[in-house]
Amino acid sequence: MLKPTMSSDYYETLDINRTATDADIKKAYRSLALKFHPSTNTEAGSAEKFCQLGEAYDVLTDARTKAIYDRFGEEGLRAGAPPESDQDDVWSSQYIYHGNPGKTFRQFFGSDNPFAHLADGLMCKGVKMQDPPIERDLHLSLEDLFNGCTKKIKISRRFMNECGGTSSIKDKILTLDVIPGWHEGTRITFPKEGDQGPNCIPADIVFIVREKTHRLFVREHDDLIYKTQISLEMALTGFCVDIETLDGRLISIPINAIVHPTYKKVVTGEGMPLSQNASQRGNLIITFDTKFPKSLNPESKRLIKQALHV
C-alpha cells in the first residue's frame, strides 16, 4: 500500500492544520490568494505561491481528492490510489492540476479582479461607488490644434431633484480650452459630469482628441510634413515653394539644392507648437514628388547631355 508523502503539503501551503473544515480551507484560500495575486504582489516567488495556493485549494475542496491525499499523500494523487478492497481491483484515476491558478481564482471569486468582492461589499453597506468614465471622441482640425481654441460641448445628463427621490434630464454646456500642440489621444477629463443617481457617484466624462485629416499637411509628432509636386527641370535648376501656414501666413522657401529622390527640406521652427511651451515649435519638412517627362525629342536629349556633361 502507498504511504503518504509530505513532498508537497497542501495544508502547509494554505497555513492550516489537517483537521481544518471546508470553511477553514476556503477562508485560508481567500486571504492568501488576495495576498499573492500577481496584480497586487510583484515580489519574487509570489506567482509560484499563487499557483501552489490554487492547486492546494483545488485538491482540498474536492471530497474525493482530499480523501486520497489525506490517506496516500501527493504520490497517491499523482499515481492513482489503490482499490479499497480485494473485491475491487479498480485504482482511482490520477490527479493532474490544470495549471491555471487564475481559473481557480475566478471560480472562487467570480471575477479576475482581486478586489471586486470588496466593491460589492461596499455597495451592500451603502457606500457609493463611482461609475466608470464615459469616453467621447473630440475631433479637431489641425488648425484647432495649431492655434488653440475654445469648444463648447452640450451634453445631456440626469440630475437628481432636491428631494433626492426623482430625477430629470437637463442639458449642460461644457467649456473645453484646446491648448496649442495637443496630440492625438490627449485626454481631457470633466470630473463627475455623468448622470447623477441615488446610489452612485457620477462618472467622469473624458474627451479624447482625434486629429482630422488635413488637405496640405501630415503631422508627425511635432513636425509638419508638406509634399509638393515639381518638374525635373525644377529639381535640377532650383525654385521656390510657397506655403500657406496653419496660422494664415504665406511663406516662400527657396530650394537651391539638387532635389534627388531622398531629398527633404527642413524649415526649423515652422512645425506644430509644443503643448508644454507654445513659444517653441517643431519643424516643417518639405518632401518632393518629381515628375519626369514622358518623352524627349533628339535635340532635347542632345542638349541635356551637353548640359550634364562633366
Side-chain angles (χ1 to χ4, degrees):
M1 179 177 292
L2 296 175
K3 301 294 184 181
T5 175
M6 300 303 291
S7 61
S8 177
D9 192 325
Y10 294 130
Y11 291 99
E12 183 178 329
T13 296
L14 289 170
D15 197 21
I16 54 178
N17 58 46
R18 301 181 74 86
T19 61
T21 65
D22 189 64
D24 293 333
I25 295 169
K26 291 178 179 177
K27 181 179 179 181
Y29 176 75
R30 174 187 292 273
S31 175
L32 293 172
L34 290 173
K35 178 180 178 180
F36 289 98
H37 193 281
S39 68
T40 58
N41 191 327
T42 58
E43 295 181 3
S46 61
E48 181 181 359
K49 178 68 173 180
F50 184 66
C51 188
Q52 293 171 351
L53 290 168
E55 181 173 351
Y57 173 81
D58 191 58
V59 169
L60 297 182
T61 53
D62 182 281
R64 185 186 67 84
T65 55
K66 182 177 184 297
I68 294 173
Y69 176 73
D70 286 345
R71 186 172 179 183
F72 302 108
E74 185 182 8
E75 185 180 350
L77 281 176
R78 306 299 184 201
E84 294 294 326
S85 65
D86 295 335
Q87 289 75 29
D88 184 7
D89 61 354
V90 179
W91 285 55
S92 68
S93 59
Q94 297 176 341
Y95 170 79
I96 300 175
Y97 183 52
H98 52 68
N100 185 349
K103 176 181 177 181
T104 305
F105 186 92
R106 284 192 299 273
Q107 290 173 341
F108 184 88
F109 287 97
S111 170
D112 285 315
N113 179 1
F115 299 108
H117 68 295
L118 297 178
D120 293 340
L122 290 173
M123 288 300 294
C124 292
K125 296 175 183 179
V127 177
K128 292 184 178 181
M129 301 295 292
Q130 186 174 22
D131 289 339
I134 301 169
E135 297 184 350
R136 297 287 183 266
D137 288 342
L138 177 65
H139 295 276
L140 297 172
S141 68
L142 209 50
E143 285 84 358
D144 290 336
L145 295 169
F146 183 93
N147 298 297
C149 61
T150 298
K151 295 289 185 180
K152 302 286 186 179
I153 305 172
K154 184 171 74 172
I155 63 170
S156 296
R157 60 180 300 214
R158 184 176 298 278
F159 287 85
M160 294 300 298
N161 297 326
E162 292 185 2
C163 64
T166 60
S167 63
S168 57
I169 302 295
K170 297 181 182 178
D171 291 338
K172 182 173 181 178
I173 302 296
L174 300 179
T175 301
L176 191 154
D177 293 322
V178 176
I179 296 176
W182 271 355
H183 288 267
E184 170 93 7
T186 297
R187 300 168 68 90
I188 307 97
T189 301
F190 289 85
K192 301 178 183 179
E193 289 290 356
D195 289 340
Q196 295 180 350
N199 297 315
C200 67
I201 299 171
D204 295 341
I205 295 182
V206 180
F207 292 97
I208 304 173
V209 171
R210 302 300 179 200
E211 190 175 283
K212 295 180 182 178
T213 301
H214 196 271
R215 62 185 181 86
L216 297 178
F217 300 102
V218 173
R219 182 179 184 179
E220 288 187 359
H221 305 293
D222 294 315
D223 295 334
L224 291 173
I225 312 300
Y226 179 88
K227 188 174 185 178
T228 185
Q229 190 175 101
I230 62 173
S231 66
L232 179 58
E233 176 190 355
M234 296 167 68
L236 297 175
T237 61
F239 56 98
C240 284
V241 182
D242 294 328
I243 303 174
E244 183 181 353
T245 64
L246 292 171
D247 55 356
R249 293 175 295 118
L250 185 65
I251 58 176
S252 185
I253 309 299
I255 308 297
N256 298 315
I258 300 296
V259 179
H260 53 77
T262 60
Y263 177 80
K264 296 179 181 180
K265 177 67 174 180
V266 178
V267 185
T268 304
E270 286 292 352
M272 293 293 292
L274 276 59
S275 59
Q276 302 89 344
N277 185 354
S279 65
Q280 297 183 10
R281 293 183 179 178
N283 298 324
L284 170 63
I285 301 174
I286 306 173
T287 63
F288 304 91
D289 179 15
T290 303
K291 294 297 181 182
F292 286 75
K294 293 183 178 180
S295 63
L296 291 172
N297 59 46
E299 178 62 16
S300 296
K301 291 181 180 180
R302 186 187 68 80
L303 292 173
I304 291 174
K305 287 180 180 180
Q306 180 179 339
L308 297 178
H309 179 71
V310 178

